[in-house]
Amino acid sequence: MRGTVLYGPRNVRFEQRDDPKILKPTDAIIRMSATCVCGSDLWDYRGINKVTQPTPIGHEYCGSVEEVGRAVTKIKPGQFVIGSFFASDNTCPNCQAGYYSSCQHREFVGGAQADWLRVPLADGTLVATREAPSAELIPSLLTLSDVMGTGWFAADAANVKPGNTVAVVGDGAVGLLGVLSARQMGAGRIIAMSRHESRQKLAREFGATDIVTHRGDEGVARIKELTKGIGADAVLECVGTQESMMQAIRSTRAGGYIGYVGVPHGVALDGQELFFAHVHLHGGPAPVRRYLPHLIDLVWSGKITPGKVFDLTLPLEDVAEGYRAMDERRAIKTLLRP
């Protein structure tokens, strides 16, 4: 098969790779219908996360089951399935508590920017749709593998309730889908922080009521101004930098909630400031599997169209351009079609 391999900073190649095989009786092999580039992939692409050897990359996927191991009983060949970037058994205590991405037997699902993919722990990881989806639904279904599920977790972790004022720090795909999630959860006011016109437009389409173009202390001051000096009830931190985390904490009212899902890079919290901030912090790698059935229903019924976050679609063989476009902020998110 062909697939994407990262050799080093800004060195992505599309080349021949070994076909995936059933390695464990709990595995499944799927034929990819669509995959994409994730904002978190850019940490590796830019060399911020060191890559020491050629590494298959990509962790967002959906497609048709081709083969299953002998221990797989729920997932069947021919089904269209979506799964999380962490494989989970769906039976351990952490899974039962809803934290599938902390499964005691979790495995990272990588190498998804390819024609085929091996998914471990198939029965616990994959969720099948009721029937094969139309081509129009596939982009939105693909987002559920990570970016929509992560935006939903940000809003859920921030305890978004009907009527809340919500601020979203970050205008990448996760932040934008955090806006969409907060709207679905009934937020009364959604403040999106963005400096980019195309992203502002999509944020408003997804439900943002206000746009703040400032960052850092100025961004905090603007949110306080919009909320009569109080701060937001809920803040979604969708970047992962020191500035974004502090902006989130300082924008939250006393007793408010922060859902943080940006993969942290260089984030360190001052204990005394956090102590006196009086805020709730909850986040981590999104337990996407928890939300998959509900989000599939929302997409299938047409209540949400998260696939709009893809503003560049390319054949998989042009994956290097997909990375460049996102790195240079010419694209919000790149959809790749095998």
Side-chain angles (χ1 to χ4, degrees):
M1 72 169 185
R2 303 169 305 163
T4 305
V5 180
L6 180 65
Y7 277 77
R10 293 180 169 82
N11 185 1
V12 164
R13 306 180 194 179
F14 187 66
E15 58 188 30
Q16 202 67 30
R17 283 170 39 196
D18 292 338
D19 291 347
K21 297 178 180 178
I22 298 290
L23 301 180
K24 298 179 181 179
T26 51
D27 290 347
I29 305 296
I30 68 171
R31 177 170 52 83
M32 301 291 286
S33 295
T35 183
C36 56
V37 180
C38 181
S40 64
D41 293 332
L42 296 180
W43 294 108
D44 298 343
Y45 179 76
R46 291 166 174 162
I48 297 169
N49 293 339
K50 300 299 180 184
V51 176
T52 58
Q53 62 186 16
T55 304
I57 193 168
H59 56 266
E60 296 170 274
Y61 59 96
C62 64
S64 300
V65 178
E66 292 292 316
E67 184 182 0
V68 298
R70 64 179 183 275
V72 178
T73 60
K74 298 176 182 177
I75 298 300
K76 309 292 184 184
Q79 290 180 316
F80 186 92
V81 293
I82 308 155
S84 168
F85 50 90
F86 272 121
S88 55
D89 62 17
N90 205 7
T91 61
C92 84
N94 291 341
C95 288
Q96 291 300 298
Y99 287 87
Y100 297 86
S101 49
S102 286
C103 176
Q104 291 179 313
H105 305 102
R106 74 178 184 181
E107 294 184 46
F108 184 70
V109 182
Q113 291 164 8
D115 294 323
W116 304 81
L117 179 69
R118 181 182 75 91
V119 180
L121 302 171
D123 275 342
T125 304
L126 298 173
V127 177
T129 59
R130 66 187 74 170
E131 59 191 49
S134 65
E136 290 75 19
L137 282 182
I138 286 177
S140 287
L141 293 171
L142 174 62
T143 68
L144 310 187
S145 182
D146 180 355
V147 64
M148 179 65 203
T150 296
W152 192 272
F153 177 54
D156 191 20
N159 199 38
V160 173
K161 301 294 185 186
N164 276 174
T165 293
V166 177
V168 180
V169 180
D171 66 353
V174 171
L176 291 167
L177 292 175
V179 170
L180 179 61
S181 300
R183 172 58 70 202
Q184 280 293 307
M185 294 179 187
R189 187 177 194 184
I190 302 172
I191 305 167
M193 312 198 78
S194 174
R195 293 178 169 180
H196 302 87
E197 185 176 350
S198 62
R199 298 171 189 236
Q200 293 171 3
K201 181 180 179 182
L202 189 54
R204 287 199 180 276
E205 186 175 346
F206 281 160
T209 56
D210 301 84
I211 301 292
V212 169
T213 59
H214 304 85
R215 292 181 180 174
D217 291 341
E218 291 182 348
V220 173
R222 181 61 180 143
I223 288 177
K224 289 292 184 73
E225 181 183 350
L226 289 170
T227 57
K228 299 180 180 180
I230 297 170
D233 300 305
V235 178
L236 282 54
E237 192 286 306
C238 303
V239 182
T241 65
Q242 180 72 17
E243 181 184 58
S244 63
M245 179 62 88
M246 297 316 301
Q247 183 172 314
I249 291 171
R250 292 167 181 168
S251 298
T252 308
R253 67 165 173 81
Y257 291 76
I258 299 161
Y260 63 97
V261 296
V263 180
H265 286 76
V267 175
L269 301 181
D270 179 84
Q272 189 169 33
E273 178 172 358
L274 187 59
F275 182 76
F276 285 103
H278 246 153
V279 297
H280 302 77
L281 278 174
H282 184 193
V288 168
R289 176 63 182 81
R290 185 201 306 178
Y291 305 119
L292 272 174
H294 179 55
L295 293 179
I296 288 171
D297 285 345
L298 290 178
V299 167
W300 210 273
S301 64
K303 292 180 179 177
I304 60 172
T305 312
K308 290 180 179 180
V309 80
F310 294 112
D311 56 347
L312 178 63
T313 299
L314 295 172
L316 183 54
E317 62 192 27
D318 292 338
V319 60
E321 169 57 19
Y323 273 87
R324 284 192 295 269
M326 287 179 62
D327 181 41
E328 297 166 5
R329 296 184 74 84
R330 291 184 284 113
I332 300 171
K333 193 167 179 69
T334 302
L335 177 72
L336 301 167
R337 295 220 181 247

